[in-house]
Amino acid sequence: MPTPTFANLPAGKRARVLKAMKREFAACSYTRASVDRITAAAGISKGSFYQYFEDKRDAYTHLVEGLMRNRLALVDTPVPEASLEQVLTGLVRGSHGFQARDPLGWSVLARAFAPDSPLDPAALTQDDTDLIRWVERAVRRGQDDGELRADVDPATAAWVLVHVMAGLPDHVMRRFGVTAEQAATDGSAFDRPEIAAVAADTVTLLTAALAREEL
């Protein structure tokens, strides 16, 4: 994690460092990314960089974690008055919409799925307590409305839902041969109808598993 020195930087300088990191990790794989280029772009010394972060991996982890939170920013909003199917579909669409909102951030996250990445992006999402609690609230709302089974523990259901949805990008990339480089440089790789169909099927299966049986 970043040091207190980084946290205490003026907001403008901190943003400049993060922007330089984002540009570098969006353009290069983790292995090829250069601390020298980051510091030059940010206008800081290499010594300062290592006062902010333990090493390149520490900086990369901080950046990716922040982007993952931004990609799923909807967890900061109240649970919508919608069905669980609509909530899960919103998660899929919100993730895809991140590409348009932050193309550099999208490229960083796509490259995080490359073989040389030291991180597992899906694990970062799976461990996101705020996201799990948000989905848990959605499950409870569905139970209260009679849409979902009342005999299922909401916290367990939320854990399962988040883990499956978090693993979806890696699944479709492997299944349809989309490399991290392709995803990073060509976001349209995820616009293929067969990938959209898998996402829709995943939502349908998860919803059906929790749906209350009709009497």
Side-chain angles (χ1 to χ4, degrees):
M1 296 300 294
T3 66
T5 301
F6 181 71
N8 291 328
L9 285 177
K13 186 172 185 179
R14 191 167 60 248
R16 193 168 69 244
V17 173
L18 288 172
K19 182 178 180 180
M21 288 165 48
K22 183 190 287 190
R23 288 188 178 278
E24 180 67 13
F25 287 115
C28 304
S29 66
Y30 175 78
T31 301
R32 291 179 50 241
S34 165
V35 171
D36 287 338
R37 286 194 295 266
I38 292 173
T39 56
I44 61 173
S45 69
K46 200 168 181 179
S48 293
F49 180 88
Y50 289 111
Q51 287 183 331
Y52 305 155
F53 304 100
E54 180 178 344
D55 50 25
K56 183 171 79 169
R57 175 171 179 159
D58 186 37
Y60 182 67
T61 301
H62 176 66
L63 177 66
V64 172
E65 286 180 342
L67 291 172
M68 291 295 288
R69 286 193 297 272
N70 291 341
R71 183 175 69 88
L72 298 167
L74 55 84
V75 300
D76 295 328
T77 64
V79 174
E81 293 299 321
S83 68
L84 180 65
E85 182 176 12
Q86 292 171 318
V87 169
L88 296 179
T89 299
L91 282 172
V92 173
R93 290 177 178 170
S95 178
H96 188 65
F98 180 71
Q99 174 191 347
R101 298 194 308 272
D102 187 354
L104 285 179
W106 168 275
S107 295
V108 173
L109 293 183
R111 291 188 186 281
F113 285 97
D116 72 333
S117 172
L119 304 178
D120 178 358
L124 294 177
T125 302
Q126 291 165 352
D127 293 336
D128 190 324
T129 303
D130 289 338
L131 175 61
I132 293 174
R133 287 177 178 170
W134 189 87
V135 175
E136 181 181 344
R137 293 200 302 273
V139 173
R140 290 184 185 278
R141 186 211 55 77
Q143 290 177 322
D144 291 342
D145 290 350
E147 172 203 350
L148 305 180
R149 293 169 49 185
D151 61 332
V152 174
D153 174 49
T156 300
W159 182 87
V160 171
L161 293 170
V162 169
H163 275 66
V164 173
M165 298 298 286
L168 186 58
D170 185 54
H171 168 63
V172 297
M173 288 172 72
R174 291 176 183 273
R175 179 173 175 182
F176 297 108
V178 178
T179 67
E181 178 69 22
Q182 287 174 318
T185 58
D186 180 12
S188 65
F190 282 91
D191 291 333
R192 293 158 55 176
E194 59 268 34
I195 291 180
V198 169
D201 286 346
T202 301
V203 170
T204 298
L205 288 169
L206 292 173
T207 304
L210 293 174
R212 191 186 69 169
E213 292 185 7
E214 295 292 338
L215 300 178

